[in-house]
Amino acid sequence: MHPFTDPSASGLHNVVAASRDEFNEDANGFLFGFINSGRSNRVTNLSFELTAAVLTFSNDATATSAADALFKRDMARSHGAEPTILQKYTTARTYFTPQFSWLTTFFATGQFVILSIIRDRAGEQIRVNDLDTLTDLATRSLDITSDRLRDFVPTPPEKLLDLPADIDGMLGRAIPANINPTDVDGPPAVYDRHGALSISYQPLSDATLFDAAGVDRVAFNGSYIYRAKDAAGARTVANQYANPGRVYRRIDPPKGLPMATCLEYRGMVDTVIKYTCTVSVDRYAAAIRANQLRDAYQRISAQYAVLINSR
């Protein structure tokens, strides 16, 4: 769930099986994109999964050409794929794969290509295809995404280098990322309130939290940095992410850093990162995640030092 310029580094290659060379051949004029995904149930095999991506091109013509080329290559490699039509979006290129109960759509609108992939995991398990529901979900996804794009004006390529690399100094307050599975949310970036919900693991509750705490900026690098309206708001954010709930337990903070709060995951899901630590300084809250306790302690201690020295 992140912006990208290289499809092989975005996760896009996991849903559209094209090498970098193939993608560059099909997507002439590609500038950058954004991809995110989610599912309707925490249990994968009971869920509908949605992957949505927007690819930005240099002009309308290159977007239309890329949508057609990407669709043809992707459908050709999908075993048993059948072309189909979305009644509301008849110009979209869509195919259905009965074996995996998924529906894939490439829709060119202006200088953008919207990629939507809907997968019915439960239907796949019981070998029952509900194409009507998949079609409805795909249509709703295109409705929402195309509506949001109407107000989005991409920065012209010749002006990209004029943009600030670090908005409001947010990345300067985040510790550097490690090259390991702990840092899985994409390249370092600064998001506004709405964009930050795309990298959230609980976007519904975070939307409420951000409103209550007045969060207007979030940065991701080797940590998450949240800028709240004031120090009380930052403490609210740190406390919320340090709430143990039912599958975490409180553990001691690092020595010499009693203001930090740390949790250990006690659930049965192997892919959940084991340790979480939070801290707040002035109007900034920070959260780090790590699979090793020493790493967690070192990272939250370093993060606290960075925030203190950024005053």
Side-chain angles (χ1 to χ4, degrees):
M1 47 188 119
H2 54 261
F4 63 91
T5 55
D6 180 358
S8 66
S10 68
L12 187 65
H13 65 289
N14 291 327
V15 292
V16 179
S19 68
R20 182 187 286 116
D21 289 343
E22 290 172 333
F23 182 87
N24 290 338
E25 178 183 337
D26 293 339
N28 182 44
F30 171 71
L31 300 176
F32 56 86
F34 186 87
I35 186 169
N36 61 15
S37 62
R39 60 177 185 255
S40 61
N41 195 299
R42 290 182 180 274
V43 180
T44 300
N45 288 339
L46 297 178
S47 69
F48 283 96
E49 291 182 346
L50 166 65
T51 297
V54 174
L55 312 179
T56 306
F57 289 83
S58 54
N59 54 54
D60 296 9
T62 55
T64 300
S65 175
D68 185 64
L70 290 169
F71 165 80
K72 289 178 179 177
R73 190 185 297 274
D74 197 50
M75 189 176 74
R77 64 95 186 176
S78 186
H79 179 71
E82 305 168 355
T84 187
I85 294 175
L86 300 181
Q87 292 300 323
K88 187 173 180 179
Y89 295 94
T90 56
T91 61
R93 305 301 304 273
T94 304
Y95 72 84
F96 174 54
T97 308
Q99 180 179 353
F100 300 108
S101 195
W102 76 40
L103 191 70
T104 302
T105 300
F106 295 85
F107 176 53
T109 174
Q111 68 183 100
F112 307 105
V113 173
I114 302 173
L115 166 63
S116 173
I117 302 174
I118 311 289
R119 186 171 184 176
D120 180 4
R121 289 281 193 170
E124 177 187 352
Q125 295 297 312
I126 63 175
R127 300 186 183 279
V128 173
N129 291 315
D130 185 354
L131 184 55
D132 288 342
T133 297
L134 292 173
T135 299
D136 178 62
L137 291 171
T139 300
R140 290 165 58 191
S141 175
L142 292 182
D143 284 345
I144 293 169
T145 307
S146 58
D147 182 65
R148 297 279 174 84
L149 286 174
R150 290 189 184 98
D151 296 326
F152 175 60
V153 179
T155 301
E158 65 273 13
K159 294 185 178 297
L160 287 174
L161 293 179
D162 296 334
L163 296 176
D166 184 4
I167 300 173
D168 295 344
M170 290 293 292
L171 281 175
R173 290 179 166 85
I175 60 172
N178 293 326
I179 308 300
N180 65 37
T182 297
D183 300 319
V184 295
D185 291 331
V190 180
Y191 299 84
D192 63 11
R193 176 200 173 280
H194 178 75
L197 296 177
S198 293
I199 61 168
S200 167
Y201 287 87
Q202 53 276 330
L204 293 179
S205 59
D206 271 356
T208 301
L209 173 64
F210 290 175
D211 286 343
V215 172
D216 64 348
R217 292 280 186 212
V218 177
F220 169 77
N221 198 357
S223 61
Y224 295 85
I225 303 295
Y226 304 85
R227 188 176 72 179
K229 60 185 176 183
D230 52 28
R235 287 193 297 272
T236 297
V237 173
N239 290 338
Q240 177 64 31
Y241 293 141
N243 184 351
R246 299 178 62 183
V247 294
Y248 289 85
R249 72 178 181 96
R250 278 284 168 84
I251 59 174
D252 291 336
K255 290 182 179 180
L257 196 65
M259 63 289 294
T261 301
C262 294
L263 304 177
E264 180 183 14
Y265 177 70
R266 306 287 282 179
M268 303 296 292
V269 181
D270 293 338
T271 56
V272 174
I273 295 174
K274 191 170 184 179
Y275 298 103
T276 300
C277 292
T278 68
V279 72
S280 68
V281 175
D282 299 330
R283 63 184 297 205
Y284 297 93
I288 66 94
R289 300 180 301 135
N291 280 315
Q292 300 295 326
L293 183 58
R294 178 178 292 182
D295 184 23
Y297 281 171
Q298 289 178 341
R299 295 175 76 177
I300 197 62
S301 298
Q303 182 60 77
Y304 178 76
V306 170
L307 289 176
I308 284 291
N309 289 324
S310 298
R311 280 175 162 176

